[in-house]
Amino acid sequence: MDDMHLVHYGRFAMGGAGLIMIENTAVKRDGRITYGCPGLWDDKQIEPLRRIVNFAHACGVPVGVQLCHGGRKASSQRPWHGNAYLSERDASERGETPWEVHGPSSLPFDEGWPVPAAMTADDIHQMVQAYRQAAIRAREAGCDTIEIHCAHGYLLQNFLSPLANQRDDEYGGSLEGRMRVPSLVACAIRAEWPEDKPILARISSVDGVDIGWSIEDSVVFAAHLRDAGVDMIDCSSGGNKLPRGKSLVSRVPGFQVAFADRIKRELGMPTAAVGLIRDAAHAEKILRSGSADIIAVGREFLFNPNWALHAALELKGEDGWDDWDMRYAWWLRRRAHQQGDAYGKAAR
């Protein structure tokens, strides 16, 4: 991570975020999704992360890091370069050459994508240890939480989904077998993570519509993760290539909240809701309904790094200025009064 990451995440710390989650961070060099992905596979990567954590802490904001292995989606182009597997053009134009990808089975992500090498028991052991070592590095960097990425078609979700895992050994077959590798990862991380700091897991609550991994599977998996020491489930969906008509299409605001609500109510386990939650009133409604305990906001924060501070003004009126850094609020509160802004007076 470099100066761009410091400023990128620093904006969110100054923008009122309750928790910053560092992006998809590889636990192995060959587990990167793209050449643009950060990692924690080397001790040299600790200090750049610590610098971000220290800045956020100075702003009173905790920081987590999302640990991941790209699985059969590794060795990919950055989205703006095509969002496909790395090609000869990427090598000639940017010096970005492809590398061997791994998965539970030798099933490519999509037609024309590289066939992953099916992981051996030794490969799995090494990968679990890579998660353990990355967790130690996150601990040394001062992170407040870890999120285990078990979603979106990356390696741990590859093991979970019958669409990607066709093994007939202890790491495949039944639901119990397919959950084994992610559960081992969770146990390995919990063994190295301070007891007073939480662990989150991001899951694909469903693969799609009546195909592959189901919400019923997710409830069982969440219970296994809880037993392994995971404290909260971040409920997303999708990630595998699906036949036409099987993808979730109801991408309306909050379209994944029902997943968080079901896991929370069936297990009594804290959940995070994510997915097209764009405005403060909607986020607040989800929290007050009890459907989730945390609202995860991604693209709206990219669009407006002060999203949470603006949410405070929208929900609390003039009292919302108390959540702003005084170096900004002292002037902006007066600006609002001068312009007759609703945020300069009581909420309307």
Side-chain angles (χ1 to χ4, degrees):
M1 299 182 193
D2 55 24
D3 288 348
M4 189 283 295
H5 295 89
L6 175 65
V7 175
H8 172 65
Y9 291 110
R11 292 191 307 170
F12 303 149
M14 297 181 71
L19 166 70
I20 294 169
M21 188 63 70
I22 302 291
E23 65 199 271
N24 188 309
T25 300
V27 299
K28 295 187 70 177
R29 185 177 182 85
D30 64 2
R32 292 171 297 167
I33 303 166
T34 76
Y35 273 89
C37 295
L40 272 178
W41 65 78
D42 191 301
D43 287 350
K44 295 178 182 178
Q45 295 164 324
I46 297 173
E47 187 55 38
L49 175 58
R50 182 186 286 128
R51 190 168 65 129
I52 296 170
V53 172
N54 287 346
F55 180 85
H57 284 175
C59 297
V61 180
V63 178
V65 61
Q66 191 180 75
L67 297 182
C68 184
H69 186 296
R72 61 182 187 169
K73 280 186 172 181
S75 192
S76 297
Q77 300 166 329
R78 293 173 175 86
W80 47 92
H81 291 156
N83 208 27
Y85 64 93
L86 289 170
S87 64
E88 293 182 2
R89 182 174 179 179
D90 297 292
S92 62
E93 292 185 357
R94 288 176 289 276
E96 297 183 351
T97 56
W99 61 89
E100 184 179 38
V101 300
H102 297 82
S105 304
S106 297
L107 298 172
F109 169 65
D110 195 8
E111 183 178 350
W113 282 64
V115 176
M119 297 176 71
T120 65
D122 186 58
D123 292 334
I124 291 171
H125 174 75
Q126 291 182 31
M127 185 269 297
V128 171
Q129 294 309 308
Y131 273 94
R132 180 191 297 270
Q133 294 301 317
I136 293 172
R137 295 183 183 105
R139 185 186 70 203
E140 293 302 307
C143 289
D144 301 283
T145 185
I146 283 173
E147 181 167 77
I148 309 169
H149 204 324
C150 304
H152 301 165
Y154 304 130
L155 184 63
L156 296 184
Q157 204 255 347
N158 292 164
F159 273 95
L160 292 170
S161 175
L163 301 179
N165 183 349
Q166 296 184 2
R167 301 174 73 102
D168 57 8
D169 62 1
E170 61 182 316
Y171 304 114
S174 66
L175 177 60
E176 188 79 21
R178 286 183 280 117
M179 292 190 299
R180 192 177 308 279
V181 168
S183 296
L184 288 172
V185 167
C187 289
I189 291 175
R190 184 75 269 180
E192 303 296 345
W193 199 242
E195 291 185 7
D196 62 340
K197 291 186 176 183
I199 296 174
L200 285 63
R202 167 163 274 204
I203 68 169
S204 282
S205 305
V206 298
D207 268 324
V209 179
D210 298 326
I211 190 172
W213 185 263
S214 69
I215 183 60
E216 291 76 19
D217 295 332
S218 287
V219 172
V220 175
F221 181 47
H224 274 250
L225 290 176
R226 180 182 57 188
D227 293 344
V230 171
D231 300 282
M232 176 176 282
I233 305 297
D234 180 2
C235 300
S236 189
S237 64
N240 284 307
K241 191 70 175 179
L242 303 178
R244 184 181 297 275
K246 291 296 183 179
S247 296
L248 290 180
V249 294
S250 55
R251 289 186 172 269
V252 297
F255 71 104
Q256 296 174 140
V257 172
F259 303 139
D261 180 77
R262 179 160 177 181
I263 289 174
K264 178 178 170 64
R265 296 191 187 281
E266 288 202 21
L267 300 180
M269 189 175 185
T271 58
V274 61
L276 296 184
I277 301 171
R278 293 170 169 164
D279 63 81
H282 185 201
E284 188 75 358
K285 181 179 179 180
I286 294 167
L287 289 175
R288 291 190 178 277
S289 72
S291 294
D293 302 274
I294 280 181
I295 304 299
V297 180
R299 293 177 184 135
E300 292 305 307
F301 253 105
L302 295 179
F303 183 70
N304 173 15
N306 289 332
W307 186 90
L309 295 177
H310 289 156
L313 294 172
E314 180 180 336
L315 296 172
K316 298 161 68 175
E318 187 169 4
D319 289 343
W321 289 113
D322 295 339
D323 295 313
W324 288 64
D325 186 312
M326 186 54 63
R327 291 168 291 188
Y328 294 88
W330 195 90
W331 294 103
L332 293 178
R333 189 196 299 258
R334 284 156 181 76
R335 172 180 176 270
H337 278 286
Q338 291 167 358
Q339 296 183 348
D341 194 305
Y343 298 146
K345 300 179 181 179
R348 294 290 187 264

